[in-house]
Amino acid sequence: MKKTLAEEEVIFDLQVQICKDIEKQPINDLLKEWPDDFTTIGRMAFPVQNIITSEDKSLEKTDFSPFQNPENLLPVGRIQQTRLKAYKASFEARS
């Protein structure tokens, strides 16, 4: 994958199947094969790129916490901090 993305653009079609008859297309029966009528609802394109690996030290301090916001994103950060306090209070009340 890393080699492919470094050398060429990769494009995927995002497709879904719509259940038109619940008897012929049971949703929870994984042994029942549906007809091959897929509908393309989007396309994902990955341009040529170098993939960041776990050895890349620039990722060390990456934080995806919604409760850590830079100053330029306030007041969203304040709303998140209020939400965090509510979550903690709710957790303590249930414990």
Side-chain angles (χ1 to χ4, degrees):
M1 182 93 177
K2 183 177 174 183
K3 182 179 184 299
T4 300
L5 285 172
E7 295 174 357
E8 61 188 87
E9 180 179 39
V10 179
I11 298 173
F12 295 99
D13 285 339
L14 180 59
Q15 299 182 321
V16 296
Q17 284 183 293
I18 307 297
C19 178
K20 298 174 184 168
D21 181 348
I22 196 68
E23 296 299 320
K24 294 180 182 174
Q25 297 172 289
I27 296 170
N28 293 324
D29 185 354
L30 300 179
L31 300 176
K32 182 82 172 181
E33 191 168 336
W34 284 21
D36 289 337
D37 54 341
F38 288 90
T39 302
T40 301
I41 61 170
R43 179 168 279 175
M44 296 183 345
F46 297 89
V48 174
Q49 59 189 293
N50 290 321
I51 302 298
I52 298 173
T53 65
S54 59
E55 290 82 30
D56 188 342
K57 298 301 178 200
S58 68
L59 297 177
E60 280 299 310
K61 296 185 180 183
T62 304
D63 184 4
F64 295 104
S65 170
F67 304 112
Q68 302 297 323
N69 298 104
E71 289 293 318
N72 63 340
L73 290 182
L74 296 176
V76 173
R78 281 190 225 112
I79 294 168
Q80 291 291 52
Q81 291 304 316
T82 303
R83 185 176 285 153
L84 179 60
K85 289 175 187 170
Y87 290 163
K88 286 180 180 178
S90 174
F91 173 77
E92 289 171 7
R94 289 178 296 183
S95 297

Coordinates of all heavy atoms in Angstrom, one line a residue:
M1 N 0.8 -1.2 0.0 CA 0.0 0.0 0.0 C 0.9 1.3 0.0 O 0.6 2.2 -0.8 CB -0.9 0.0 1.2 CG -1.8 1.1 1.3 SD -3.4 0.6 0.6 CE -4.4 2.0 0.9
K2 N 1.9 1.2 0.9 CA 2.8 2.4 1.0 C 3.5 2.6 -0.4 O 3.5 3.8 -0.9 CB 3.8 2.1 2.1 CG 4.8 3.3 2.3 CD 5.7 3.0 3.4 CE 6.7 4.0 3.6 NZ 7.7 3.7 4.7
K3 N 3.9 1.6 -1.0 CA 4.6 1.7 -2.3 C 3.6 2.2 -3.4 O 4.0 3.1 -4.2 CB 5.2 0.3 -2.7 CG 6.0 0.3 -4.0 CD 6.5 -1.1 -4.3 CE 7.4 -1.1 -5.5 NZ 6.7 -0.8 -6.8
T4 N 2.4 1.6 -3.4 CA 1.4 2.0 -4.4 C 1.1 3.5 -4.3 O 1.1 4.3 -5.3 CB 0.2 1.2 -4.2 OG1 0.5 -0.2 -4.4 CG2 -0.9 1.6 -5.2
L5 N 0.8 4.0 -3.0 CA 0.5 5.4 -2.8 C 1.6 6.3 -3.1 O 1.4 7.5 -3.5 CB 0.0 5.6 -1.4 CG -1.5 5.1 -1.1 CD1 -1.8 5.2 0.3 CD2 -2.5 5.8 -2.0
A6 N 2.8 5.9 -3.0 CA 4.0 6.7 -3.3 C 4.2 6.8 -4.8 O 4.8 7.8 -5.3 CB 5.2 6.1 -2.7
E7 N 3.6 5.9 -5.6 CA 3.9 5.9 -7.0 C 2.7 6.3 -7.9 O 2.9 6.7 -9.0 CB 4.3 4.5 -7.5 CG 5.7 4.1 -6.8 CD 6.0 2.7 -7.1 OE1 5.2 2.0 -7.8 OE2 7.1 2.3 -6.7
E8 N 1.4 6.2 -7.4 CA 0.3 6.5 -8.2 C -0.9 6.9 -7.4 O -1.0 6.6 -6.3 CB -0.1 5.2 -9.1 CG -0.5 4.0 -8.3 CD -0.6 2.8 -9.1 OE1 0.3 2.1 -9.3 OE2 -1.8 2.5 -9.5
E9 N -1.8 7.6 -8.1 CA -3.1 8.0 -7.4 C -4.0 6.8 -7.3 O -4.0 6.0 -8.3 CB -3.8 9.1 -8.2 CG -5.1 9.5 -7.6 CD -5.7 10.6 -8.4 OE1 -5.7 10.6 -9.7 OE2 -6.3 11.6 -7.8
V10 N -4.7 6.6 -6.2 CA -5.6 5.5 -6.0 C -7.0 6.1 -5.9 O -7.2 7.0 -5.1 CB -5.2 4.7 -4.8 CG1 -6.1 3.5 -4.6 CG2 -3.7 4.2 -4.9
I11 N -7.9 5.5 -6.6 CA -9.3 6.0 -6.6 C -10.2 4.8 -6.2 O -10.1 3.7 -6.8 CB -9.7 6.6 -7.9 CG1 -8.9 7.9 -8.2 CG2 -11.2 7.0 -7.9 CD1 -9.1 8.5 -9.5
F12 N -11.1 5.0 -5.3 CA -12.1 4.0 -4.9 C -13.5 4.6 -5.1 O -13.8 5.7 -4.7 CB -12.0 3.6 -3.4 CG -10.7 3.0 -3.1 CD1 -9.6 3.7 -2.5 CD2 -10.5 1.6 -3.3 CE1 -8.4 3.1 -2.2 CE2 -9.3 1.0 -3.0 CZ -8.3 1.7 -2.4
D13 N -14.4 3.8 -5.6 CA -15.8 4.1 -5.6 C -16.5 3.7 -4.3 O -16.3 2.5 -3.9 CB -16.5 3.5 -6.8 CG -16.2 4.1 -8.1 OD1 -15.8 5.3 -8.1 OD2 -16.4 3.5 -9.2
L14 N -17.3 4.5 -3.7 CA -18.0 4.2 -2.5 C -19.4 3.7 -3.0 O -20.1 4.5 -3.5 CB -18.1 5.4 -1.6 CG -18.8 5.2 -0.3 CD1 -18.2 4.0 0.5 CD2 -18.9 6.4 0.5
Q15 N -19.7 2.5 -2.8 CA -20.9 1.9 -3.3 C -21.8 1.3 -2.2 O -21.3 0.8 -1.2 CB -20.6 0.8 -4.3 CG -19.9 1.3 -5.5 CD -19.7 0.3 -6.5 OE1 -19.4 -0.9 -6.2 NE2 -19.8 0.6 -7.8
V16 N -23.1 1.3 -2.4 CA -24.0 0.7 -1.4 C -25.0 -0.1 -2.2 O -25.2 0.0 -3.4 CB -24.8 1.8 -0.6 CG1 -23.9 2.6 0.2 CG2 -25.7 2.7 -1.6
Q17 N -25.7 -1.0 -1.4 CA -26.7 -1.8 -2.0 C -28.0 -1.4 -1.2 O -28.0 -1.4 0.0 CB -26.5 -3.3 -1.8 CG -25.5 -3.9 -2.8 CD -25.3 -5.3 -2.7 OE1 -24.8 -5.8 -1.7 NE2 -25.8 -6.1 -3.7
I18 N -29.1 -1.2 -1.9 CA -30.3 -0.8 -1.3 C -31.2 -2.1 -1.2 O -31.4 -2.8 -2.2 CB -31.1 0.2 -2.1 CG1 -30.2 1.4 -2.4 CG2 -32.4 0.6 -1.5 CD1 -29.7 2.2 -1.2
C19 N -31.8 -2.3 0.0 CA -32.7 -3.5 0.1 C -34.0 -3.1 -0.5 O -34.7 -2.1 0.0 CB -32.8 -3.8 1.6 SG -34.0 -5.1 1.9
K20 N -34.4 -3.8 -1.5 CA -35.7 -3.5 -2.2 C -36.8 -4.5 -1.8 O -38.0 -4.3 -2.0 CB -35.5 -3.6 -3.7 CG -34.5 -2.5 -4.1 CD -34.2 -2.6 -5.6 CE -33.1 -1.6 -6.0 NZ -32.6 -1.8 -7.3
D21 N -36.4 -5.7 -1.3 CA -37.4 -6.7 -0.9 C -36.8 -7.5 0.3 O -35.8 -8.2 0.2 CB -37.6 -7.7 -2.1 CG -38.6 -8.8 -1.7 OD1 -39.0 -8.9 -0.5 OD2 -39.0 -9.5 -2.7
I22 N -37.3 -7.2 1.5 CA -36.8 -7.8 2.7 C -36.8 -9.3 2.7 O -36.0 -10.0 3.4 CB -37.5 -7.2 4.0 CG1 -36.7 -7.5 5.2 CG2 -38.9 -7.8 4.1 CD1 -35.4 -6.8 5.3
E23 N -37.7 -10.0 2.0 CA -37.8 -11.4 1.9 C -36.6 -12.0 1.0 O -36.0 -13.0 1.4 CB -39.1 -11.9 1.3 CG -40.3 -11.5 2.1 CD -40.2 -12.2 3.5 OE1 -39.8 -13.4 3.6 OE2 -40.6 -11.5 4.5
K24 N -36.3 -11.3 -0.1 CA -35.2 -11.7 -0.9 C -33.9 -11.2 -0.5 O -32.8 -11.7 -0.9 CB -35.5 -11.3 -2.4 CG -36.7 -12.0 -3.0 CD -36.9 -11.5 -4.4 CE -38.2 -12.1 -5.0 NZ -38.5 -11.6 -6.3
Q25 N -33.9 -10.1 0.3 CA -32.6 -9.5 0.7 C -32.6 -9.3 2.3 O -32.6 -8.2 2.7 CB -32.4 -8.2 0.0 CG -32.3 -8.2 -1.5 CD -32.3 -6.9 -2.1 OE1 -33.3 -6.2 -2.1 NE2 -31.2 -6.4 -2.6
P26 N -32.7 -10.4 3.0 CA -32.7 -10.2 4.5 C -31.4 -9.6 5.0 O -30.3 -10.0 4.6 CB -32.8 -11.7 5.0 CG -32.3 -12.5 3.9 CD -32.6 -11.8 2.6
I27 N -31.6 -8.6 5.8 CA -30.4 -7.8 6.2 C -29.6 -8.5 7.2 O -28.3 -8.4 7.2 CB -31.0 -6.5 6.9 CG1 -31.7 -5.6 5.8 CG2 -29.8 -5.7 7.5 CD1 -32.4 -4.4 6.4
N28 N -30.1 -9.4 8.1 CA -29.3 -10.0 9.1 C -28.9 -11.5 8.7 O -28.4 -12.2 9.5 CB -30.1 -10.1 10.4 CG -30.3 -8.7 11.0 OD1 -29.4 -7.9 10.9 ND2 -31.4 -8.4 11.6
D29 N -29.2 -11.9 7.5 CA -28.8 -13.2 7.1 C -27.6 -13.1 6.2 O -27.7 -12.8 5.0 CB -30.0 -13.9 6.3 CG -29.6 -15.4 6.0 OD1 -28.5 -15.8 6.2 OD2 -30.5 -16.0 5.5
L30 N -26.4 -13.3 6.7 CA -25.2 -13.2 6.0 C -24.9 -14.3 5.0 O -24.0 -14.2 4.1 CB -24.0 -13.1 6.9 CG -24.1 -11.9 7.9 CD1 -22.8 -11.9 8.9 CD2 -24.1 -10.6 7.2
L31 N -25.7 -15.3 5.0 CA -25.6 -16.5 4.1 C -26.4 -16.2 2.8 O -26.2 -16.9 1.8 CB -26.0 -17.8 4.7 CG -25.2 -18.2 6.0 CD1 -25.7 -19.4 6.6 CD2 -23.7 -18.3 5.6
K32 N -27.3 -15.3 2.8 CA -28.1 -15.0 1.7 C -27.4 -13.9 0.8 O -27.1 -12.8 1.3 CB -29.5 -14.4 2.1 CG -30.4 -14.1 1.1 CD -31.1 -15.4 0.6 CE -32.2 -15.0 -0.4 NZ -33.0 -16.1 -0.9
E33 N -27.1 -14.3 -0.4 CA -26.4 -13.4 -1.3 C -27.4 -12.4 -2.0 O -28.4 -12.9 -2.5 CB -25.6 -14.2 -2.4 CG -24.7 -13.3 -3.2 CD -23.7 -14.1 -4.0 OE1 -23.5 -15.3 -3.7 OE2 -23.2 -13.6 -5.0
W34 N -27.1 -11.2 -2.0 CA -27.9 -10.2 -2.6 C -27.5 -10.0 -4.1 O -26.4 -10.4 -4.5 CB -27.7 -8.8 -2.0 CG -28.4 -8.7 -0.6 CD1 -28.8 -9.6 0.2 CD2 -28.7 -7.4 0.0 NE1 -29.3 -9.1 1.3 CE2 -29.3 -7.7 1.2 CE3 -28.5 -6.1 -0.3 CZ2 -29.7 -6.8 2.1 CZ3 -28.9 -5.1 0.6 CH2 -29.5 -5.5 1.8
P35 N -28.4 -9.5 -4.9 CA -28.1 -9.3 -6.3 C -27.0 -8.2 -6.4 O -26.8 -7.4 -5.5 CB -29.4 -8.7 -7.0 CG -30.4 -8.6 -5.9 CD -29.8 -9.1 -4.6
D36 N -26.3 -8.2 -7.5 CA -25.1 -7.3 -7.7 C -25.5 -5.9 -8.2 O -24.8 -5.3 -9.0 CB -24.1 -7.9 -8.7 CG -23.4 -9.1 -8.2 OD1 -23.4 -9.2 -6.9 OD2 -22.9 -9.9 -9.0
D37 N -26.6 -5.3 -7.7 CA -27.0 -4.0 -8.1 C -26.5 -3.0 -7.1 O -27.1 -2.7 -6.1 CB -28.5 -3.9 -8.3 CG -29.3 -4.3 -7.1 OD1 -28.8 -5.1 -6.3 OD2 -30.5 -4.0 -7.1
F38 N -25.3 -2.5 -7.3 CA -24.6 -1.5 -6.5 C -24.9 -0.1 -7.0 O -25.0 0.1 -8.2 CB -23.1 -1.7 -6.4 CG -22.7 -2.9 -5.6 CD1 -22.6 -4.2 -6.2 CD2 -22.5 -2.8 -4.2 CE1 -22.2 -5.3 -5.5 CE2 -22.1 -3.9 -3.5 CZ -21.9 -5.1 -4.1
T39 N -25.0 0.9 -6.1 CA -25.2 2.3 -6.5 C -24.0 3.0 -6.0 O -23.7 3.0 -4.8 CB -26.5 2.8 -5.9 OG1 -27.6 2.1 -6.3 CG2 -26.7 4.3 -6.3
T40 N -23.3 3.7 -6.9 CA -22.2 4.5 -6.5 C -22.7 5.8 -5.9 O -23.4 6.5 -6.5 CB -21.3 4.8 -7.7 OG1 -20.8 3.5 -8.2 CG2 -20.0 5.6 -7.3
I41 N -22.2 6.1 -4.6 CA -22.7 7.3 -4.0 C -21.5 8.3 -3.7 O -21.7 9.4 -3.3 CB -23.4 7.0 -2.6 CG1 -22.4 6.3 -1.7 CG2 -24.6 6.2 -2.8 CD1 -22.9 6.1 -0.3
G42 N -20.3 7.9 -4.1 CA -19.2 8.8 -4.0 C -17.9 8.2 -4.5 O -17.9 7.0 -4.9
R43 N -16.9 9.0 -4.4 CA -15.6 8.5 -4.9 C -14.5 9.1 -3.9 O -14.6 10.2 -3.5 CB -15.3 9.0 -6.3 CG -14.0 8.6 -6.9 CD -13.9 8.9 -8.3 NE -14.6 7.7 -8.9 CZ -14.9 7.6 -10.2 NH1 -14.5 8.6 -11.0 NH2 -15.5 6.6 -10.7
M44 N -13.6 8.2 -3.5 CA -12.5 8.6 -2.7 C -11.2 8.6 -3.5 O -10.9 7.5 -4.1 CB -12.4 7.7 -1.5 CG -13.6 7.8 -0.6 SD -13.5 6.9 1.0 CE -12.2 5.7 0.9
A45 N -10.5 9.7 -3.5 CA -9.2 9.7 -4.3 C -8.1 10.0 -3.3 O -8.1 10.9 -2.5 CB -9.3 10.8 -5.4
F46 N -7.1 9.2 -3.4 CA -5.8 9.4 -2.7 C -4.7 9.7 -3.6 O -4.3 8.9 -4.4 CB -5.5 8.1 -1.9 CG -6.5 7.7 -0.9 CD1 -7.6 6.8 -1.2 CD2 -6.4 8.1 0.4 CE1 -8.5 6.5 -0.3 CE2 -7.4 7.8 1.3 CZ -8.5 6.9 1.0
P47 N -4.3 11.0 -3.6 CA -3.2 11.4 -4.5 C -1.9 10.7 -4.1 O -1.7 10.2 -3.0 CB -3.2 12.9 -4.3 CG -3.7 13.1 -2.9 CD -4.7 12.0 -2.7
V48 N -0.9 10.8 -5.1 CA 0.4 10.3 -4.8 C 0.9 11.0 -3.5 O 0.8 12.2 -3.4 CB 1.3 10.6 -6.0 CG1 2.8 10.2 -5.6 CG2 0.9 9.9 -7.2
Q49 N 1.4 10.2 -2.6 CA 1.9 10.8 -1.3 C 2.8 9.9 -0.6 O 2.9 8.7 -0.9 CB 0.7 11.0 -0.4 CG -0.1 9.7 -0.1 CD -1.4 10.0 0.6 OE1 -1.4 10.4 1.7 NE2 -2.5 9.8 -0.1
N50 N 3.6 10.4 0.3 CA 4.4 9.6 1.2 C 3.6 9.4 2.5 O 3.1 10.3 3.1 CB 5.7 10.4 1.5 CG 6.6 10.5 0.3 OD1 6.7 9.6 -0.4 ND2 7.3 11.6 0.2
I51 N 3.6 8.1 2.9 CA 2.8 7.7 4.0 C 3.6 7.9 5.3 O 4.8 7.6 5.4 CB 2.4 6.2 3.9 CG1 1.6 5.9 2.7 CG2 1.7 5.8 5.2 CD1 0.3 6.6 2.6
I52 N 3.0 8.5 6.3 CA 3.7 8.7 7.6 C 3.7 7.4 8.3 O 2.6 6.7 8.4 CB 3.0 9.8 8.4 CG1 3.0 11.1 7.7 CG2 3.6 9.9 9.8 CD1 2.2 12.2 8.4
T53 N 4.8 6.9 8.8 CA 4.9 5.7 9.6 C 5.0 5.9 11.1 O 5.2 7.1 11.5 CB 6.1 4.9 9.1 OG1 7.3 5.6 9.5 CG2 6.1 4.6 7.6
S54 N 4.9 4.9 11.8 CA 5.0 5.0 13.3 C 6.4 5.4 13.7 O 6.5 5.9 14.8 CB 4.6 3.7 13.9 OG 5.5 2.7 13.5
E55 N 7.3 5.3 12.9 CA 8.7 5.8 13.2 C 8.8 7.3 13.1 O 9.8 7.9 13.6 CB 9.7 5.1 12.3 CG 9.9 3.6 12.5 CD 8.9 2.8 11.8 OE1 8.4 3.2 10.8 OE2 8.5 1.7 12.4
D56 N 7.9 8.0 12.5 CA 7.9 9.4 12.3 C 7.7 10.1 13.6 O 6.6 10.0 14.2 CB 6.9 9.9 11.2 CG 7.0 11.3 10.9 OD1 7.7 12.1 11.6 OD2 6.5 11.7 9.8
K57 N 8.6 10.8 14.2 CA 8.5 11.4 15.5 C 7.6 12.6 15.5 O 7.2 13.1 16.6 CB 9.9 11.8 16.0 CG 10.9 10.6 16.2 CD 10.3 9.6 17.2 CE 11.2 8.4 17.3 NZ 10.5 7.2 17.8
S58 N 7.2 13.1 14.4 CA 6.3 14.3 14.3 C 4.9 13.9 14.9 O 4.1 14.7 15.2 CB 6.1 14.8 12.9 OG 5.5 13.9 12.1
L59 N 4.6 12.6 15.0 CA 3.3 12.1 15.5 C 3.3 12.0 17.0 O 2.2 11.7 17.5 CB 3.0 10.8 14.8 CG 2.8 10.8 13.3 CD1 2.5 9.4 12.8 CD2 1.7 11.7 12.9
E60 N 4.4 12.1 17.6 CA 4.5 11.8 19.1 C 3.5 12.6 19.9 O 2.9 12.1 20.8 CB 5.9 12.2 19.6 CG 7.0 11.1 19.3 CD 6.7 9.8 20.0 OE1 6.4 9.7 21.2 OE2 6.8 8.8 19.3
K61 N 3.3 13.9 19.6 CA 2.5 14.7 20.4 C 1.1 15.0 19.7 O 0.5 15.9 20.1 CB 3.2 16.0 20.7 CG 4.5 15.8 21.5 CD 5.1 17.0 21.9 CE 6.4 16.7 22.8 NZ 7.0 17.8 23.3
T62 N 0.7 14.1 18.8 CA -0.6 14.3 18.2 C -1.6 13.9 19.2 O -1.6 12.9 19.9 CB -0.7 13.4 16.9 OG1 0.4 13.7 16.1 CG2 -2.0 13.6 16.2
D63 N -2.7 14.8 19.3 CA -3.7 14.5 20.3 C -5.1 14.7 19.6 O -5.3 15.8 19.1 CB -3.6 15.5 21.5 CG -4.6 15.2 22.6 OD1 -5.4 14.3 22.5 OD2 -4.6 16.0 23.5
F64 N -5.9 13.7 19.6 CA -7.2 13.8 19.0 C -8.3 14.0 20.0 O -9.5 13.8 19.7 CB -7.5 12.6 18.1 CG -6.5 12.5 17.0 CD1 -5.4 11.6 17.0 CD2 -6.6 13.3 15.9 CE1 -4.5 11.5 16.0 CE2 -5.7 13.2 14.8 CZ -4.7 12.3 14.9
S65 N -8.0 14.4 21.2 CA -9.0 14.7 22.2 C -9.8 15.9 21.9 O -9.3 17.0 21.6 CB -8.4 14.9 23.6 OG -9.3 15.3 24.5
P66 N -11.2 15.8 21.9 CA -12.0 16.9 21.6 C -11.9 18.0 22.7 O -12.4 19.1 22.6 CB -13.4 16.4 21.5 CG -13.4 15.1 22.3 CD -12.0 14.6 22.2
F67 N -11.3 17.6 23.9 CA -11.2 18.5 25.0 C -9.9 19.3 25.0 O -9.7 20.2 25.9 CB -11.3 17.7 26.3 CG -12.6 16.9 26.3 CD1 -12.6 15.5 26.3 CD2 -13.8 17.6 26.4 CE1 -13.8 14.8 26.3 CE2 -15.0 16.8 26.4 CZ -15.0 15.5 26.4
Q68 N -9.0 19.1 24.0 CA -7.8 19.9 23.9 C -8.0 20.8 22.7 O -8.0 20.3 21.5 CB -6.6 19.0 23.7 CG -6.4 18.0 24.8 CD -6.1 18.7 26.1 OE1 -5.4 19.7 26.2 NE2 -6.6 18.1 27.2
N69 N -8.2 22.1 22.9 CA -8.4 23.0 21.8 C -7.4 24.1 21.9 O -7.1 24.7 22.9 CB -9.8 23.6 21.8 CG -10.8 22.5 21.7 OD1 -11.5 22.2 22.7 ND2 -11.1 22.0 20.5
P70 N -6.8 24.5 20.7 CA -6.0 25.7 20.7 C -6.8 27.0 21.0 O -8.0 27.0 20.8 CB -5.4 25.7 19.3 CG -6.3 24.9 18.5 CD -6.9 23.9 19.4
E71 N -6.1 28.0 21.4 CA -6.7 29.3 21.7 C -7.6 29.8 20.6 O -8.6 30.4 20.8 CB -5.7 30.3 22.1 CG -5.0 30.1 23.4 CD -6.0 30.2 24.6 OE1 -6.8 31.2 24.6 OE2 -5.9 29.4 25.5
N72 N -7.1 29.7 19.3 CA -7.9 30.2 18.2 C -9.2 29.5 17.9 O -10.0 30.0 17.1 CB -7.0 30.3 16.9 CG -6.6 28.9 16.5 OD1 -6.6 27.9 17.2 ND2 -6.2 28.8 15.2
L73 N -9.5 28.4 18.6 CA -10.8 27.7 18.5 C -11.7 28.0 19.6 O -12.8 27.4 19.7 CB -10.5 26.2 18.4 CG -9.9 25.7 17.1 CD1 -9.8 24.2 17.1 CD2 -10.7 26.2 15.9
L74 N -11.4 28.9 20.5 CA -12.3 29.3 21.5 C -13.4 30.1 20.9 O -13.2 30.8 19.9 CB -11.6 30.1 22.6 CG -10.5 29.4 23.4 CD1 -9.8 30.3 24.4 CD2 -11.1 28.2 24.1
P75 N -14.7 30.0 21.2 CA -15.3 29.4 22.4 C -15.6 27.9 22.3 O -16.1 27.4 23.3 CB -16.6 30.2 22.5 CG -17.0 30.5 21.1 CD -15.6 30.7 20.4
V76 N -15.3 27.3 21.2 CA -15.6 25.9 21.1 C -14.9 25.1 22.2 O -15.4 24.2 22.8 CB -15.2 25.3 19.7 CG1 -15.3 23.8 19.7 CG2 -16.1 26.0 18.6
G77 N -13.7 25.5 22.5 CA -12.9 24.9 23.5 C -13.6 25.0 24.9 O -13.6 24.1 25.7
R78 N -14.1 26.2 25.2 CA -14.8 26.4 26.4 C -16.1 25.5 26.5 O -16.4 25.0 27.6 CB -15.2 27.9 26.6 CG -14.1 28.7 27.1 CD -14.5 30.1 27.4 NE -13.5 31.0 26.8 CZ -13.8 31.9 25.8 NH1 -15.0 32.0 25.4 NH2 -12.8 32.6 25.3
I79 N -16.8 25.4 25.4 CA -18.0 24.5 25.4 C -17.5 23.1 25.6 O -18.2 22.3 26.4 CB -18.7 24.6 24.0 CG1 -19.3 26.0 23.9 CG2 -19.8 23.5 23.9 CD1 -19.8 26.3 22.4
Q80 N -16.4 22.7 25.0 CA -15.9 21.3 25.3 C -15.5 21.1 26.7 O -15.7 20.0 27.3 CB -14.8 21.0 24.3 CG -15.1 20.9 22.9 CD -16.0 19.7 22.6 OE1 -17.0 19.4 23.2 NE2 -15.6 18.9 21.6
Q81 N -14.9 22.1 27.3 CA -14.5 22.0 28.7 C -15.7 21.9 29.6 O -15.7 21.1 30.6 CB -13.6 23.2 29.2 CG -12.3 23.2 28.5 CD -11.5 21.9 28.7 OE1 -11.4 21.4 29.9 NE2 -10.9 21.4 27.7
T82 N -16.8 22.6 29.3 CA -18.0 22.5 30.1 C -18.6 21.1 29.9 O -19.1 20.4 30.9 CB -19.0 23.5 29.6 OG1 -18.4 24.8 29.8 CG2 -20.3 23.5 30.4
R83 N -18.6 20.6 28.7 CA -19.1 19.2 28.4 C -18.3 18.2 29.2 O -18.8 17.2 29.7 CB -19.0 19.0 26.9 CG -19.6 17.7 26.5 CD -19.6 17.5 25.0 NE -20.6 18.3 24.4 CZ -20.6 18.9 23.2 NH1 -19.5 18.7 22.4 NH2 -21.5 19.6 22.8
L84 N -16.9 18.4 29.3 CA -16.1 17.4 30.0 C -16.5 17.4 31.5 O -16.6 16.3 32.1 CB -14.6 17.8 29.8 CG -13.6 17.0 30.6 CD1 -13.7 15.5 30.1 CD2 -12.2 17.5 30.4
K85 N -16.7 18.6 32.0 CA -17.2 18.6 33.5 C -18.5 17.9 33.7 O -18.7 17.1 34.6 CB -17.3 20.1 33.9 CG -15.9 20.7 34.1 CD -16.1 22.2 34.4 CE -14.8 22.9 34.3 NZ -14.9 24.4 34.4
A86 N -19.4 18.1 32.7 CA -20.7 17.4 32.8 C -20.5 15.9 32.7 O -21.2 15.1 33.4 CB -21.6 17.9 31.7
Y87 N -19.6 15.4 31.8 CA -19.4 14.0 31.6 C -18.8 13.4 32.9 O -19.2 12.3 33.4 CB -18.4 13.7 30.5 CG -18.9 14.0 29.1 CD1 -18.0 14.1 28.1 CD2 -20.3 14.1 28.9 CE1 -18.5 14.3 26.8 CE2 -20.7 14.3 27.6 CZ -19.8 14.4 26.5 OH -20.3 14.7 25.3
K88 N -17.8 14.1 33.5 CA -17.2 13.6 34.8 C -18.3 13.6 35.9 O -18.3 12.6 36.7 CB -16.1 14.5 35.2 CG -14.9 14.3 34.3 CD -13.7 15.3 34.7 CE -12.5 15.0 33.9 NZ -11.4 15.9 34.2
A89 N -19.1 14.6 36.0 CA -20.2 14.6 37.0 C -21.2 13.4 36.8 O -21.6 12.8 37.8 CB -20.9 15.9 37.0
S90 N -21.5 13.2 35.6 CA -22.4 12.1 35.2 C -21.8 10.8 35.6 O -22.5 9.9 36.2 CB -22.8 12.1 33.8 OG -23.5 11.0 33.4
F91 N -20.5 10.6 35.3 CA -19.8 9.4 35.6 C -19.8 9.1 37.1 O -20.1 8.0 37.6 CB -18.4 9.4 35.1 CG -17.5 8.2 35.5 CD1 -17.7 7.0 34.9 CD2 -16.6 8.4 36.5 CE1 -16.9 5.9 35.2 CE2 -15.8 7.3 36.9 CZ -16.0 6.1 36.3
E92 N -19.5 10.2 37.9 CA -19.4 10.0 39.3 C -20.8 9.7 39.9 O -20.9 9.0 40.9 CB -18.8 11.3 39.9 CG -17.3 11.5 39.6 CD -16.8 12.9 40.0 OE1 -17.5 13.6 40.7 OE2 -15.6 13.1 39.7
A93 N -21.8 10.3 39.4 CA -23.2 10.0 39.9 C -23.6 8.6 39.6 O -24.3 8.0 40.4 CB -24.2 11.0 39.2
R94 N -23.1 8.0 38.5 CA -23.5 6.6 38.2 C -22.6 5.6 39.0 O -23.0 4.5 39.1 CB -23.4 6.4 36.7 CG -24.4 7.0 35.9 CD -24.2 6.8 34.5 NE -23.0 7.5 34.2 CZ -22.4 7.5 33.0 NH1 -23.0 7.0 32.0 NH2 -21.3 8.1 32.8
S95 N -21.5 6.0 39.5 CA -20.5 5.1 40.1 C -21.0 4.8 41.6 O -21.7 5.4 42.2 CB -19.1 5.7 40.2 OG -18.7 5.9 38.9

